[in-house]
Amino acid sequence: MSSPLKIVWFSNIPLDSAAGKAIYLQLADGIMNLIRRGKLQAEQKIPSTRELAEILNINRVTVTKAIVELQQQGWLESFVGRGTYISKHIPIQILPANHSLPRKKAAGTSPVELRANKLSANNYQVITTKLYLDDGYPDPTFAPLKDFYRAYRSQLTRSGLYTRFGAYSHPHGSVYYRKIIADYLNHTRGLNTTSENILSTRGTLMAIHLVCSTLIEPGDFIVSGIPGWNRAEQNFLHAKANHIGVPVDEHGIVVDEIRKLCHRRKIRMVYVTPHHHYPTTVPLRIDRRLELIQLANEYGFLIFEDDYDFDFHYSHRPLLPLASTDENGVVLYAGSFSKNFSPAFRIGYLAASESIIQQLSNYRILVDRQGDHILDNAMAELIQQGVLQRSIRKAVKVYKEKRDLFAELLSDKLGDTIQFTLPEGGMTIYTSFDPSIDLERLSAAALKKGLYISNGKIHQYQNYNTNSIRLGFASSTKSALTRSVNILHDLLLQK
């Protein structure tokens, strides 16, 4: 019979039939912990399966399964006629005998020394409130999910299993997707592309990262508007580039400032959101568009055109992108389906010269291999069948109505404390609050009332702060917009 002390150790192994984990695995883990604590030493004999079953008041078969599990993992060794022992390969004592088993350390407390980098904390917001005036997200009710389901399912049931599922394919995207995207961009945006000019991406952010990792060298100068998009700026810093911010006014990025910079240093790339500048939503005026293209040709820099919400322009037809007037391959044109389908589906593209696409593909294969060809092909089918285009037309009509209602609500309820210009397009109204209003406190107070709004920090810079935030209207119902503005009105009255 085993020693009384050993019996106590085994009898204290916790077993819970309601724990959702097999009893034999709980027993195996318990014995493993005894070994790790140093209670059981290498080459020490443990009680027989019959003894353990009696000690723990469980079935002997369960004990046998636990012993077999530990033997397979190398913790125990069994010998015919002699019994079962702690493996002789176990260190003499893994932990001191009086040491309790440590809890797993939380992520972020690794003992490995982390090297300092230039990236600030990339915070993000997961919205869980019922009311939200977000950063400009679409209304998911317009996403043709049933059509998408059918298109995706058809990809899974067609012939050619090996080429579809049994082997890797092109890192720059499926041939079908790139062909459809090229035709789509040529038809809707006035580009002149073929499938060889298209790279499939998982959204615009991936395109920015690929470009920064492939075409940007440490010390290169990248220019963008201030205020701008923090995610893009963080990619510039990650590439060890020198980021230079230039002003943005009511006509978009001030191109004259870019010309002045070109006289002083070699610019490698200019990042712009010309259709609706992020975050202010203002379009880049035609003369500045043409001048920026001229500067790129004259001084030999790249233009990264982030056209994140091309389809949503309400005063007239969408403005054609810079890429439509690019004759020398200086524009990298990026877009995604996050705004006109859903942010949940990471589907996008980058249009550029064949040589640049090849370089980006060579790098992309190291981080993502090829993307999701099945997902891309399903989206391509929706485009070819006109499903996506029809859903966009419906959304534009409703979004314009929401924009007009939201602007009216803001003027009526918050008119004395805010200023804004009615945007020609997009899904947000860039709203400036009176300097006396603490946006961080307002955001926190709204959250307690079940309303999400930004605290404005993401649009603040060292020498720039207009106390402004983006108030998204597209993703909310009209009644939700009314309730949201009423909450802000009541909170500002209490200020």
Side-chain angles (χ1 to χ4, degrees), residues 227-385:
W229 190 28
N230 177 263
R231 292 284 185 263
E233 295 159 3
Q234 287 293 299
N235 269 283
F236 306 156
L237 294 178
H238 185 66
K240 295 182 173 59
N242 295 304
H243 175 226
I244 304 176
V246 297
V248 174
D249 61 19
E250 67 274 17
H251 302 302
I253 192 169
V254 180
V255 179
D256 279 345
E257 294 298 322
I258 299 176
R259 178 178 290 278
K260 293 176 185 177
L261 287 171
C262 289
H263 292 161
R264 301 198 300 269
R265 51 178 55 93
K266 177 67 175 176
I267 302 300
R268 175 57 172 168
M269 187 171 76
V270 174
Y271 169 82
V272 288
T273 49
H275 196 230
H276 302 125
H277 177 76
Y278 183 93
T280 66
T281 75
V282 297
L284 185 62
R285 200 171 59 190
I286 183 61
D287 58 324
R288 295 187 182 185
R289 289 167 174 260
L290 297 176
E291 184 182 1
L292 184 57
I293 290 287
Q294 180 184 344
L295 283 177
N297 288 321
E298 183 179 349
Y299 290 96
F301 60 77
L302 295 168
I303 298 174
F304 191 106
E305 182 175 14
D306 179 353
D307 208 358
Y308 64 95
D309 63 355
F310 171 84
D311 295 297
F312 303 101
H313 209 71
Y314 310 125
S315 302
H316 44 75
R317 62 173 288 189
L319 303 172
L320 290 180
L322 299 175
S324 66
T325 59
D326 176 26
E327 297 179 352
N328 297 314
V330 296
V331 177
L332 313 175
Y333 181 78
S336 77
F337 298 101
S338 295
K339 295 295 187 290
N340 46 21
F341 191 74
S342 168
F345 296 92
R346 307 307 302 155
I347 313 173
Y349 50 83
L350 181 77
S353 66
E354 291 184 28
S355 58
I356 287 179
I357 293 299
Q358 187 58 54
Q359 275 193 273
L360 297 178
S361 297
N362 288 339
Y363 178 74
R364 192 261 180 82
I365 199 172
L366 301 178
V367 295
D368 191 43
R369 182 50 178 89
Q370 66 179 47
D372 190 334
H373 286 200
I374 304 300
L375 192 68
D376 287 350
N377 286 343
M379 178 60 71
E381 282 203 18
L382 295 191
I383 295 172
Q384 188 178 49
Q385 296 168 4

Side-chain angles (χ1 to χ4, degrees), residues 47-154:
S48 67
T49 55
R50 185 185 301 277
E51 286 181 292
L52 284 175
E54 292 176 355
I55 293 169
L56 296 165
N57 194 29
I58 59 176
N59 191 292
R60 188 178 176 185
V61 174
T62 301
V63 177
T64 301
K65 291 177 67 175
I67 298 301
V68 171
E69 175 72 19
L70 290 170
Q71 288 173 346
Q72 291 175 343
Q73 293 194 29
W75 291 92
L76 299 179
E77 295 177 298
S78 291
F79 302 92
V80 177
R82 292 174 52 198
T84 301
Y85 295 78
I86 308 302
S87 173
K88 63 184 177 182
H89 302 294
I90 299 295
I92 293 177
Q93 193 165 295
I94 298 178
L95 293 174
N98 61 350
H99 195 288
S100 61
L101 197 65
R103 293 184 177 181
K104 275 191 175 181
K105 286 191 175 182
T109 59
S110 170
V112 178
E113 181 182 357
L114 299 179
R115 296 177 179 175
N117 60 60
K118 298 172 68 175
L119 289 177
S120 61
N122 280 303
N123 298 318
Y124 57 90
Q125 180 71 45
V126 177
I127 300 174
T128 58
T129 53
K130 291 184 178 180
L131 297 175
Y132 35 80
L133 299 175
D134 53 40
D135 194 53
Y137 304 150
D139 185 341
T141 61
F142 288 108
L145 296 180
K146 291 183 179 180
D147 296 283
F148 186 80
Y149 169 76
R150 284 193 290 270
Y152 193 91
R153 185 178 179 182
S154 72

